[in-house]
Amino acid sequence: MLNPALISLDNQVFRCYLGWSAILVLKIFAAGIYSGLMRFLTATFANPEDLLSPKLKVKFDDPNVERVRRAHRNDLENILPFFAIGLLYVLTDPAAFLAINLFRAVGIARIVHTLVYAVVVVPQPSRAIAFFVAVAATAYMALQVIASAAF
Amino acid sequence: MLNPALISLDNQVFRCYLGWSAILVLKIFAAGIYSGLMRFLTATFANPEDLLSPKLKVKFDDPNVERVRRAHRNDLENILPFFAIGLLYVLTDPAAFLAINLFRAVGIARIVHTLVYAVVVVPQPSRAIAFFVAVAATAYMALQVIASAAF
Amino acid sequence: MLNPALISLDNQVFRCYLGWSAILVLKIFAAGIYSGLMRFLTATFANPEDLLSPKLKVKFDDPNVERVRRAHRNDLENILPFFAIGLLYVLTDPAAFLAINLFRAVGIARIVHTLVYAVVVVPQPSRAIAFFVAVAATAYMALQVIASAAF
């Protein structure tokens, strides 16, 4: 049977998952608020009721707004699956050193991804590397969870 | 060690999280089905194989469909992180009164958000208020989780 | 009180949830990587820093890329809520036969959805059926969770 102490603040692996998950929730919200801010800075509003002045019209193609929206959507595609699989991975009782470093890899890679995509715009392959580090770490967790479920 | 009774139907905080999470899952699905319905009502189909008549063409810019899609995407950006952090917040054993009202705030704010965005279209700042109430409540939970993980 | 043995590899319902969740995380990532691949095959890049040659321009309307992106977004709308509600449903201690077949229905329906939407493009109603099977199974779980929380 699974050790109930796994879902415990005494388990440093769970604690690390807890901390990085919460940081990444705030990071996703930061991307959302940043995209709202960018809409104000560029006066790019998607809804008639959002227009600040009667002279403005709805607009969907501002490159700065769209860039932040793509970064934000990429977060949904990659961070949200991590929330689910990270918890299940903790429940498989992985080696602490490996698990902690996988969580750090996902957390740091996703923060770097947003920075190089939407804040500073660093040339490739910086964004591709940040993307693949997080995908590889999360996919490894998923494979370990499948192995636990199957045997 | 964490009290295993936290993840229990006897814990009213967990019970409240459970109920609101399930309601919000149904709310997300309602937005998805509503956007499909809006496609039929406006004959706006994004895929050639969806066209109901050979006279129709694929179309991507119907303002009613796009409005529902934006409301739906906003759900993904805000409700899905709540599912993850709400559960972790329950595990930090928060004061029941505060936690229950935070869950209610998120649940009600997100239902109001969809209503004023995609169903009735109420002037601003109604949508902005609904958005920020849910973000603030969820971000507060994330900060509490970080504090628990750190100490 | 909730039986702590529910969140255990000895519980075949949890084990089934665990396996299908991990498979669906990999499926979401596969859609993401497939959409990146499609960008290369069609030379459709959304960011100036991604352009492989100075002759290329950013492009947002390739039908093949957009099709994979819609399939991917549909995953986020439907699979991510399943991750949250599936775990909570396990905690309501459902009948094993029913629960296991609901998880299988969601898992298989969502894999079929991606195949008929973005890989082979099968005529309707194949995609609609795959969509509604997964929505119905997940919505049923949400209703059971609400019933547990309310009584």
Side-chain angles (χ1 to χ4, degrees):
Chain A
M1 202 186 102
L2 205 99
N3 189 342
L6 287 173
I7 299 295
S8 156
L9 294 175
D10 291 337
N11 176 7
Q12 57 172 332
V13 173
F14 178 65
R15 214 178 165 104
C16 182
Y17 165 75
L18 210 69
W20 278 110
S21 290
I23 290 170
L24 289 175
V25 164
L26 296 178
K27 202 228 72 54
I28 295 175
F29 284 177
I33 287 168
Y34 185 44
S35 88
L37 196 72
M38 196 61 92
R39 286 192 179 282
F40 275 90
L41 291 175
T42 60
T44 308
F45 300 103
N47 301 292
E49 71 270 27
D50 300 347
L51 299 173
L52 292 175
S53 134
K55 289 178 197 159
L56 288 171
K57 285 189 179 165
V58 294
K59 218 178 124 186
F60 302 98
D61 58 355
D62 182 86
N64 295 299
V65 172
E66 290 306 308
R67 175 179 286 273
V68 181
R69 278 168 58 82
R70 285 194 297 275
H72 195 187
R73 176 173 159 161
N74 200 278
D75 279 351
L76 306 182
E77 294 166 357
N78 292 282
I79 298 177
L80 296 172
F82 164 72
F83 290 154
I85 215 65
L87 182 63
L88 300 179
Y89 178 60
V90 171
L91 293 173
T92 67
D93 199 7
F97 179 81
L98 176 62
I100 288 171
N101 283 297
L102 287 173
F103 293 152
R104 282 182 186 149
V106 172
I108 294 170
R110 292 307 311 181
I111 292 171
V112 168
H113 184 273
T114 303
L115 292 176
V116 303
Y117 201 165
V119 183
V120 212
V121 193
V122 176
Q124 290 282 26
S126 57
R127 194 179 91 233
I129 291 169
F131 172 83
F132 278 111
V133 166
V135 165
T138 314
Y140 174 83
M141 293 178 213
L143 290 172
Q144 291 303 106
V145 168
I146 291 172
S148 289
F151 301 109
Chain B
M1 202 186 100
L2 205 100
N3 189 341
L6 288 173
I7 298 295
S8 156
L9 294 175
D10 291 337
N11 176 7
Q12 58 172 331
V13 174
F14 178 64
R15 215 178 164 104
C16 183
Y17 164 75
L18 209 67
W20 278 110
S21 291
I23 290 169
L24 289 176
V25 163
L26 295 178
K27 202 228 72 54
I28 295 176
F29 284 178
I33 287 167
Y34 185 45
S35 87
L37 197 72
M38 196 60 92
R39 287 193 179 281
F40 275 90
L41 291 174
T42 61
T44 308
F45 300 103
N47 301 291
E49 71 269 27
D50 301 346
L51 299 173
L52 292 176
S53 134
K55 289 178 197 158
L56 289 172
K57 285 191 181 164
V58 293
K59 217 178 123 186
F60 301 99
D61 59 355
D62 182 87
N64 295 299
V65 171
E66 289 306 308
R67 175 179 285 276
V68 182
R69 278 168 57 81
R70 284 195 297 275
H72 195 187
R73 177 174 159 159
N74 200 278
D75 280 350
L76 305 183
E77 294 166 356
N78 292 282
I79 298 177
L80 295 172
F82 164 72
F83 291 154
I85 216 64
L87 181 63
L88 300 179
Y89 178 60
V90 171
L91 293 173
T92 66
D93 199 7
F97 179 81
L98 176 61
I100 287 171
N101 283 298
L102 287 173
F103 293 152
R104 282 181 186 149
V106 172
I108 294 170
R110 291 306 311 181
I111 291 170
V112 169
H113 184 273
T114 303
L115 292 176
V116 302
Y117 202 166
V119 183
V120 212
V121 191
V122 175
Q124 289 283 24
S126 57
R127 195 180 91 233
I129 291 169
F131 173 83
F132 278 110
V133 166
V135 164
T138 314
Y140 174 82
M141 292 177 214
L143 290 172
Q144 291 303 107
V145 168
I146 290 172
S148 289
F151 301 110
Chain C
M1 201 187 101
L2 204 101
N3 190 342
L6 288 173
I7 299 295
S8 157
L9 294 175
D10 291 337
N11 176 8
Q12 56 173 334
V13 174
F14 178 64
R15 213 176 164 105
C16 182
Y17 164 75
L18 209 68
W20 279 109
S21 291
I23 289 169
L24 288 175
V25 163
L26 296 179
K27 202 228 72 53
I28 295 175
F29 284 177
I33 287 168
Y34 185 44
S35 89
L37 196 70
M38 197 61 93
R39 286 193 180 283
F40 275 90
L41 291 174
T42 61
T44 308
F45 300 103
N47 301 291
E49 71 270 28
D50 301 346
L51 299 173
L52 292 176
S53 134
K55 289 177 196 161
L56 289 171
K57 285 190 180 166
V58 293
K59 219 177 124 185
F60 301 99
D61 58 356
D62 182 86
N64 295 298
V65 171
E66 289 307 308
R67 174 179 286 274
V68 181
R69 278 168 58 82
R70 285 195 297 276
H72 196 187
R73 177 173 160 160
N74 200 278
D75 280 351
L76 305 183
E77 294 167 356
N78 293 283
I79 297 177
L80 295 172
F82 164 72
F83 290 154
I85 215 65
L87 182 63
L88 301 179
Y89 178 61
V90 171
L91 293 173
T92 67
D93 200 6
F97 179 81
L98 176 61
I100 287 172
N101 283 296
L102 286 173
F103 294 151
R104 282 182 186 150
V106 172
I108 294 170
R110 291 307 312 182
I111 291 171
V112 168
H113 184 273
T114 303
L115 292 177
V116 302
Y117 202 166
V119 183
V120 212
V121 192
V122 175
Q124 289 283 21
S126 56
R127 195 179 89 232
I129 291 169
F131 172 83
F132 278 112
V133 166
V135 165
T138 314
Y140 174 82
M141 292 177 213
L143 290 172
Q144 291 303 108
V145 168
I146 291 173
S148 290
F151 301 110

